[in-house]
């Protein structure tokens, strides 16, 4: 990339960072409010990249600040990129309206009538200059990876179903969110950008040294922000790939001393845990449709409530997640909580009800916070 000193020209600014640090630096620059989304990331040297900025950063560590003689400006939207590839207005009606950028990987739901998947993938790479791969997101497999574990078993690994549309087949990446680093491979473990607000909230609600039981930890979705906020987290995860990333991410975020991670079914550990807060960020796997035509689920979080209550100390808080059909909000999740708490001979106080995101047509991913005495 051609560049010059700051004093000699009026060309737009860029900062130079090492390639492995690019995603972390972009997140930091965005947090500072100086990242320029109108320009593309450019290669600067064999080991470095130039990240476009509006002004020199004051908090983000960079190698140097330069001016770009030949900045590459982004086309404004996906439709413009697709038009350049010959898509008609009718074709654009079949283009996706949204997608997720996870580190250097783009995940997109491809519409059934998409005219050209390869064009779509390459256009998304052009739109997001920092991305290396585009994957078709085809949901979560209901099949267990372990021999002897059937569909809907508690050992279901929530394996993503993806296809490579464009770019590199090396899809292992690091996604940075609110300063938390998540290493993962989106072809092997799930990551929902739509849960970002809930992950941020979990970091806000915990207190220093609070004891948390994260029953379905995954790669550390809730464990990491809570531990970074000072909580002490007992985290269980059954998927071996996700568990490996959980350990790596705890170290990468410097919270290993506050995370006790177990490659285990959470129910096997519940009797040995004493928690002030229990997070149940799981709502089962698809099992067909109910009589009303809504997606039904098997091995739902409700079946894990006895274990959650066994671990929860009197006065503690449980965060109960469900995929609930709209007609049953909020009666079903609260009713299930009340029944489990009554069965345990305890008392319940509902603190908050929240919609996390739309799960599917007519079904909402929700969470209920409840204090249990």
């Amino acid at each position: 990339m051609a560049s010059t000193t700051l004093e000699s020209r009026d060309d737009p600014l860029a900062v130079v960072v090492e390639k492995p640090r690019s995603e972390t630096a972009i997140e930091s620059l965005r947090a500072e409010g100086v990242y320029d989304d109108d320009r593309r990331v450019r290669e600067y040297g064999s080991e470095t990249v130039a990240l476009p900025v509006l002004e020199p950063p004051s908090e983000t560590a960079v190698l140097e600040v330069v001016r770009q003689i030949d900045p590459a400006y982004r086309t404004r939207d996906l439709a413009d990129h697709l038009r350049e590839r010959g898509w008609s207005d009718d074709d654009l009606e079949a283009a996706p309206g949204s997608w997720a950028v996870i580190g250097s990987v783009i995940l997109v739901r491809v519409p059934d009538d998409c005219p050209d998947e390869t064009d779509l993938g390459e256009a998304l790479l052009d739109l997001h200059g920092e991305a290396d791969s585009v994957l078709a997101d085809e949901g979560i497999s209901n099949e267990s990876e372990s021999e002897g574990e059937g569909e809907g078993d508690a050992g279901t690994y929530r394996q993503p179903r993806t296809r490579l549309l464009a770019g590199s087949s090396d899809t292992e990446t690091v996604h940075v969110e609110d300063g938390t680093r998540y290493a993962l491979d989106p072809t092997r473990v799930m990551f929902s950008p739509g849960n970002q607000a809930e992950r941020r909230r979990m970091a806000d609600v915990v207190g220093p040294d609070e004891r948390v039981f994260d029953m379905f930890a995954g790669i550390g979705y809730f464990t990491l922000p809570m531990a970074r906020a000072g909580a002490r987290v007992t985290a269980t995860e059954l998927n071996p790939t996700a568990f490996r990333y959980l350990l790596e991410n705890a170290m990468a975020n410097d919270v290993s001393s506050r995370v006790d991670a177990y490659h285990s079914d959470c129910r096997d550990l519940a009797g040995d845990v004493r928690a002030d807060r229990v997070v149940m960020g799981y709502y089962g796997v698809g099992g067909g449709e109910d009589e009303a035509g809504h997606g039904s689920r098997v091995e739902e979080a409700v079946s894990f409530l006895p274990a959650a209550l066994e671990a929860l100390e009197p006065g503690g808080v449980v965060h109960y997640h469900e995929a609930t059909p709209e007609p049953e909000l909020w009666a079903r999740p609260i009713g299930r909580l009340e029944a489990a708490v009554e069965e345990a001979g305890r008392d319940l106080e509902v603190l908050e009800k929240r919609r996390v995101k739309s799960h599917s047509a007519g079904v909402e991913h929700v969470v209920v916070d409840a204090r249990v005495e």
Side-chain angles (χ1 to χ4, degrees):
M1 182 204 78
S3 64
T4 187
T5 62
L6 293 183
E7 294 80 8
S8 61
R9 296 175 65 99
D10 293 326
D11 302 287
L13 295 175
V15 294
V16 179
V17 301
E18 301 93 339
K19 287 182 178 178
R21 285 195 60 247
S22 61
E23 292 301 323
T24 302
I26 288 171
E27 176 77 10
S28 178
L29 293 167
R30 282 200 171 110
E32 282 195 58
V34 300
Y35 188 72
D36 186 356
D37 282 297
D38 290 335
R39 284 180 285 144
R40 298 179 184 175
V41 175
R42 299 292 296 273
E43 191 169 84
Y44 190 78
S46 61
E47 304 296 331
T48 56
V49 292
L51 308 179
V53 294
L54 301 170
E55 60 185 65
S58 59
E59 301 174 11
T60 305
V62 301
L63 296 177
E64 60 178 316
V65 182
V66 298
R67 291 195 181 275
Q68 290 185 316
I69 295 174
D70 56 347
Y73 288 91
R74 297 181 188 275
T75 308
R76 290 189 64 186
D77 57 24
L78 178 62
D80 290 332
H81 283 286
L82 292 172
R83 285 191 183 96
E84 291 175 359
R85 287 169 165 74
W87 283 40
S88 67
D89 287 343
D90 287 341
D91 292 335
L92 291 174
E93 292 294 323
S98 63
W99 49 90
V101 181
I102 301 173
S104 60
V105 178
I106 299 170
L107 275 175
V108 60
R109 294 266 184 164
V110 180
D112 292 337
D113 53 352
C114 176
D116 190 319
E117 290 185 347
T118 301
D119 270 359
L120 173 61
E122 291 176 351
L124 284 168
L125 285 180
D126 286 343
L127 184 64
H128 296 277
E130 64 273 20
D132 297 324
S133 309
V134 180
L135 297 173
D137 178 4
E138 299 182 333
I140 302 296
S141 174
N142 291 330
E143 298 294 334
S144 170
E145 289 185 347
S146 289
E147 185 176 352
E149 290 178 334
E151 183 175 329
D153 188 270
T156 298
Y157 290 166
R158 293 170 286 171
Q159 176 76 19
R161 292 188 290 120
T162 62
R163 290 184 294 108
L164 182 67
L165 298 182
S168 172
S169 60
D170 181 2
T171 50
E172 190 165 53
T173 188
V174 176
H175 180 72
V176 182
E177 182 180 282
D178 297 324
T180 301
R181 296 173 57 84
Y182 297 94
L184 73 153
D185 183 341
T187 69
R188 304 186 67 193
V189 295
M190 61 177 288
F191 188 91
S192 176
N195 292 355
Q196 179 175 1
E198 187 65 15
R199 289 188 286 270
R200 183 181 296 128
R201 186 174 77 99
M202 287 296 95
D204 291 338
V205 299
V206 295
D209 292 325
E210 188 174 85
R211 300 168 299 173
V212 178
F213 185 23
D214 188 352
M215 297 177 71
F216 313 100
I219 65 171
Y221 314 108
F222 298 120
T223 289
L224 297 173
M226 290 189 296
R228 292 184 67 232
R232 297 188 173 277
V233 186
T234 299
T236 57
E237 175 53 45
L238 206 54
N239 181 334
T241 303
F243 182 73
R244 173 174 63 83
Y245 281 121
L246 172 62
L247 297 178
E248 292 179 7
N249 289 332
M251 290 188 289
N253 287 277
D254 197 26
V255 293
S256 293
S257 63
R258 293 197 292 278
V259 175
D260 291 326
Y262 295 86
H263 184 207
S264 166
D265 187 312
C266 56
R267 292 172 293 195
D268 294 337
L269 199 66
D272 298 321
V273 176
R274 294 294 173 266
D276 305 307
R277 189 179 302 273
V278 174
V279 180
M280 304 180 69
Y282 167 75
Y283 42 72
V285 294
E289 292 186 349
D290 61 19
E291 293 180 358
H294 299 298
S296 64
R297 314 195 68 77
V298 294
E299 202 63 23
E300 292 180 283
V302 63
S303 63
F304 294 85
L305 273 171
L309 297 175
E310 184 180 9
L312 188 65
E313 292 277 61
V317 175
V318 60
H319 301 275
Y320 173 69
H321 290 246
E322 255 201 23
T324 308
E326 281 277 3
E328 298 186 68
L329 285 179
W330 292 88
R332 192 180 79 173
I334 292 176
R336 287 175 165 179
L337 268 169
E338 289 174 340
V341 169
E342 182 178 359
E343 178 70 20
R346 301 175 68 173
D347 296 319
L348 174 79
E349 176 191 3
V350 174
L351 302 175
E352 189 170 358
K353 304 173 294 186
R354 294 173 58 87
R355 295 176 188 245
V356 178
K357 64 180 186 297
S358 175
H359 176 268
S360 56
V363 179
E364 291 291 301
H365 173 186
V366 301
V367 59
V368 177
D369 300 351
R371 176 169 287 112
V372 181
E373 298 297 341

